[in-house]
Amino acid sequence: MKAVCIAIDGPASSGKSTVAKLLAKSLGFIYVDTGAMYRTITLASLNNNIDPKDESGLLALLKETTIKFGWQEDGQHVWMNGQDVTDAIRSSKVTNLVSEISMHPSVRQELVARQREMARDGNIVMDGRDIGTTVLPNAQVKVFLVASVEERAKRRYEENLSKQIPTDFEQLKKEIEERDFKDSHRRVSPLIQADDAQLIDTTSLSIEEVVAKVKDLVKKQLIS
Ligand code: CDP
Ligand code: CDP
């Protein structure tokens, strides 16, 4: 089988990581969550009191920050310089700052280089905002997942409820809209659908239905 790269992009809570993980598992591919990498440098900046506008300070910090992924019984974990930061990078403090950190061109350049290195041998599912347009423009399968903001806020709200994280629905929806706006309007590799990506509106689809659709695209690619 030829080496395949699958790029999954889309706005917050469109289902990227859930779908990407299931797909990677069933195909036996590596899964890379690029959002976790932007979240990790954001956490590092908070821990080290680096001003979010200080691009050179952020880049220097990133250069000395290792980001590693690995699987444990309860799912994928992320380590920052050897420390497990799986939960810490999902805090609302990190979530509300990450778009400001990820707009810096040199921070993106460094992370994109690391992401391409991870994808060097193919057979990978990578999700994020700029995978199909910038990180892996030659990916054989590109998917752009969308869903209404109401539905995406509902999904995140229910996820928070199941983890017993107190959440105000309207506030959550507003934060998702603000993050989408920042991600879509930054100068360097904004969140946009690649010309050759397949758009899938997941608003009324189950996770299984989305996975099946992407698998069909992979099959078509492999026999073409
Ligand atoms: O899971 P969720 O959709 O909330 O976000 P994420 O995938 O963890 O990404 C967090 C943030 O990282 C995004 O809002 C973007 O600001 C940034 N990001 C990016 O700029 N480029 C990527 N390839 C992935 C994430
Ligand atoms: O990675 P991203 O932020 O795009 O979204 P996610 O973390 O994969 O999905 C957010 C939540 O929506 C998860 O709790 C999923 O189980 C749920 N989801 C869903 O209910 N229906 C879908 N078609 C996709 C995701």
Side-chain angles (χ1 to χ4, degrees), residues 9 11-13 16-17 33-36 38-39 90 95 98-99 102 108 115 127-131 135 156 179 183 186:
D9 291 299
S13 276
K16 301 179 298 296
S17 65
D33 174 357
T34 62
Y38 288 95
R39 285 174 179 273
R90 305 280 156 201
T95 301
V98 62
S99 295
S102 65
R108 300 198 70 80
Q115 290 154 7
D127 80 345
R129 302 293 187 285
D130 60 341
I131 312 305
V135 183
R156 208 30 77 84
R179 191 147 60 92
D183 290 344
R186 65 174 171 239

Side-chain angles (χ1 to χ4, degrees), residues 11-18 127 155-156 159 202 205-207 210:
S13 276
S14 51
K16 301 179 298 296
S17 65
T18 308
D127 80 345
R155 289 176 186 171
R156 208 30 77 84
E159 196 179 293
T202 75
L205 296 179
S206 69
I207 293 164
V210 183

